[in-house]
Structure formats: structure tokens, C-alpha cells
Amino acid sequence: SLENPIHSLLLSLSLSLFLLWKIKVTLIQGDISNPEDVRAAVKGAHVVIHTAGLVDVWGRVRPEKIMAVNLQGTKNVIEACVTQGTQYLIYTSSMEVVGPNIKGHPFYRGNEDTEYEAIHHHPYPLSKAKAEQLVLEANGRLMPDGKRLVTCALRPTGIYGENHLLMKEFYEQGLVTKKFMIRAIPASTEHGRVYVGNVAWMHLLVAQKIQEDSSTIGSQVYFCYDDSPYKSYEDFNMEFLRPCGFRLFGSRPVLPFLLLQFIALINSLLQWLLKPFCVYAPLLNPYTLVISSTTFTVQTDKALRHFGYKPYFTWEESRNRTVRWLQEIRAERQAGK
Ligand SMILES: *[C@@H]1O[C@H](CO)[C@@H](O)[C@H](O)[C@H]1NC(C)=O
């Protein structure tokens, strides 16, 4: 999942609220791994939506850094809420706190109560799982003024939308191969995806409800989903790339899966060998191969039942907005030439 776009989206949502209703927005820049910075940012707020996170499943960032931002940062947010008397905390978690696991067990249209063997070795899912646990355990903590902290977590599936860095990377890689791509993963592998605007919308709804009905929302987790169709990663990305003139070749995977596994292994070997000299972090590694070739989709209405969530953007609007953004990149590139 990608958390930065939510951050900017929440920001732009609050900015547009500001323009509409003259709500004041104050930007405070700081380092989330520094408790003092976080305390200063939280001071005076009565709800915190904690979306900050470092997403890396490719080995681009050192594991210690991922832990510092995702885990220590979350500890800092919790402590800041308690010491500053901020009673409500909403945490942007990730579906990856559940799976897909490295064994490749499918999670087919499951909900928040579906049993699944969560196994975390990689720093990113590990840091998110631990941070989510801390947030949920902090629910009910006594604060200096006698009130109790109320917390919950939202777990977005794969987020897409404007400024989706990975989509931009696919777009640029696709230009290298003349907009011609080959299928690597069977089309029957389903992945859950959610539009960034709906992720933001769900945060705003739960932020309101948690203050009105803290006994229902407190310590709960919610998958973060919308009406985006269940498809494989490749077929889903083609929904945006096809209108830009891209083509996906093959109704079945073109390369044998064993070969992909072999390339993934070679990539991780190269990453290890090159470590002293440079960061070699291609998109394909054994972890990303398992993630992209394992079905993981959610089907739930918990957020609808608990706080009346319905997607704000339809699938068609979400797709159109994402396509428009990609086409703007293309226009900018052509103007730049
Ligand atoms: C989405 O884009 C298509 C093609 O440009 C257009 O026909 C359709 O009306 C758009 N739908 C929405 C909801 O914006």
C-alpha cells in the first residue's frame, strides 16, 4: 500500500474545506521518529489521523529506518496523544498486517474475522503489524485528565490513484518496451484495490464516529475497500494503462513461474552482493513475487455497519481520475521534449 498520497489527499481535502468554510489549516513539519516533534504537532488537537508511513517492499530503505518511522513513530504518536490529552487516534494500517503471507495462502474475499496465518519477516509488514497492535492495545489507556484514549485502525488494500508512484514506474517502464507488456501472473489471481479518495473519505467518517460512539469504534480494525473490481495486479493496472495506449500480451503467463522465481532469487542475491556499493532494488524479488501471485481480496461491510461508510467515488470516477493523471504525465513528457 502507499500512504503518502493519502497524506496529501487529506491535506488537500482540508485545504478545500478551508476554502469553502474558512477552516484554518496549520502545517507543522517534523520528524515522526522524534518524540518532541510529534508532541508539538499533536498539541491542541482532539483527533489524530496517523497516516505517516514508510512503504518499502523492495529493499530501497534500511530496515532500521522503516522500523524507526513505522514503529517508533507510532509509539511517539500514541505517547503524544496521552500526554497532550488528545483522546481519539485513528491509525492507517495496511492489509499487509494480515497478508499475503510468504507461504502464498490465498485470502479470497475475506473479512475482518476471517482466520488467516499471518507471518511477517519483511520489515514493512512487520513494522505495520507491530504498530497496529500497539495502537489497538492503547485503546482505553488512562490519560492525565482522567479520560481514556480511544483508538482504531483502518487497513487499506492496495491503494491506487493520482500520484501513485508505482503506477508511474510501470508507466515509465512500459514506455521503454514501447507500451508493450507481457503477462507474468495468471489472470485468475485476485487482488483487492482501493481508490485513494475513498481511503481518505473512510478516515474522515471514522474520525467523526469515533467521537460520537467510542464504545463501538474503540479498538476495532476495518478493512479499507471500495467498489474497485477484483482483478490481478496486471489486469487492474491495464484499466489505466490501456487508455494510454498500452497493451498486455498473453491470456496466460508468458514466462514459466519457475523462471520468475529464479529471477527473483537472482535479484535478491545481487542485492546482497551489491550492498556495500549501491542499493540494487528491482521491483521483482521473492517477496513481491509471492505478494503479486497470491490472491488477496476483501469483502466486508463492517465499516458500513459501524460508521455508515459508502465509497465517495464510484469505480468509474476513480478510474477516470487516475487515467487523467497518467495522461497528464504523458502530456508533460511530450511538452518537455
Ligand atoms: C469516464 O470517462 C469516460 C470516457 O472518457 C466517459 O465517457 C464517462 O462519462 C466518464 N465517467 C465519469 C463518471 O466521469
Side-chain angles (χ1 to χ4, degrees), residues 80-321:
C81 286
V82 171
T83 57
Q84 303 294 331
T86 299
Q87 206 186 347
Y88 305 101
L89 170 60
I90 291 132
Y91 176 58
T92 311
S93 183
S94 165
M95 71 167 194
E96 281 183 61
V97 306
V98 181
N101 65 24
I102 199 82
K103 292 184 181 172
H105 295 157
F107 186 93
Y108 181 75
R109 305 192 187 184
N111 63 28
E112 288 85 351
D113 300 317
T114 305
E115 298 271 329
Y116 189 78
E117 189 185 348
I119 312 164
H120 302 301
H121 296 304
H122 268 68
Y124 174 70
L126 185 65
S127 67
K128 293 299 279 188
K130 285 188 167 176
E132 185 194 84
Q133 196 185 353
L134 288 180
V135 168
L136 299 177
E137 284 170 0
N139 183 65
R141 248 181 85 175
L142 198 57
M143 308 201 300
D145 59 2
K147 287 187 192 141
R148 288 185 182 273
L149 186 65
V150 189
T151 66
C152 71
L154 302 188
R155 296 171 172 169
T157 56
I159 304 173
Y160 69 92
E162 295 93 319
N163 295 325
H164 184 188
L165 289 178
L166 197 55
M167 186 82 74
K168 197 171 167 190
E169 215 163 303
F170 282 131
Y171 181 86
E172 277 159 3
Q173 282 192 355
L175 291 183
V176 176
T177 54
K178 301 251 180 280
K179 300 191 176 181
F180 190 77
M181 326 231 283
I182 56 169
R183 186 182 294 282
I185 303 295
S188 57
T189 311
E190 278 188 357
H191 291 105
R193 305 296 296 265
V194 59
Y195 177 62
V196 64
N198 288 325
V199 177
W201 180 233
M202 190 186 247
H203 279 77
L204 294 182
L205 291 179
V206 81
Q208 192 161 17
K209 189 69 175 187
I210 200 171
Q211 302 172 65
E212 296 162 5
D213 186 1
S214 49
S215 59
T216 301
I217 307 291
S219 83
Q220 295 293 318
V221 295
Y222 302 92
F223 277 121
C224 194
Y225 54 92
D226 62 12
D227 298 329
S228 304
Y230 304 113
K231 283 173 186 276
S232 72
Y233 273 120
E234 288 168 319
D235 288 301
F236 194 79
N237 289 342
M238 285 311 288
E239 292 284 339
F240 316 108
L241 295 173
R242 200 175 294 112
C244 299
F246 284 61
R247 281 183 310 150
L248 180 65
F249 176 76
S251 53
R252 284 197 225 158
V254 173
L255 303 174
F257 193 68
L258 256 173
L259 181 62
L260 287 177
Q261 281 179 314
F262 181 70
I263 299 170
L265 269 179
I266 295 287
N267 275 345
S268 63
L269 181 69
L270 279 175
Q271 181 171 64
W272 181 74
L273 286 175
L274 293 172
K275 215 172 189 174
F277 313 105
C278 68
V279 178
Y280 175 70
L283 292 179
L284 182 64
N285 64 42
Y287 181 66
T288 56
L289 182 60
V290 169
I291 287 201
S292 51
S293 55
T294 303
T295 285
F296 200 98
T297 43
V298 304
Q299 191 167 43
T300 172
D301 63 352
K302 187 175 173 186
L304 170 68
R305 284 184 281 114
H306 284 202
F307 53 92
Y309 164 75
K310 284 193 196 119
Y312 187 87
F313 298 94
T314 63
W315 154 240
E316 198 177 81
E317 284 169 321
S318 307
R319 185 183 54 195
N320 280 10
R321 291 167 73 96

Side-chain angles (χ1 to χ4, degrees), residues 10-75:
L10 282 179
L11 201 67
S12 65
L13 268 179
S14 25
L15 283 175
S16 32
L17 289 178
F18 167 69
L19 296 176
L20 283 174
W21 296 310
K22 301 210 177 354
I23 294 170
K24 194 172 146 212
V25 176
T26 313
L27 275 175
I28 305 167
Q29 198 171 339
D31 175 356
I32 191 143
S33 59
N34 177 351
E36 269 167 39
D37 283 5
V38 180
R39 267 199 300 275
V42 166
K43 191 173 162 56
H46 62 282
V47 182
V48 168
I49 300 178
H50 169 31
T51 70
L54 193 51
V55 186
D56 176 40
V57 288
W58 306 281
R60 292 176 184 175
V61 184
R62 283 179 297 114
E64 306 83 63
K65 177 90 179 161
I66 295 176
M67 284 294 173
V69 170
N70 294 357
L71 187 55
Q72 186 59 44
T74 300
K75 280 185 192 163

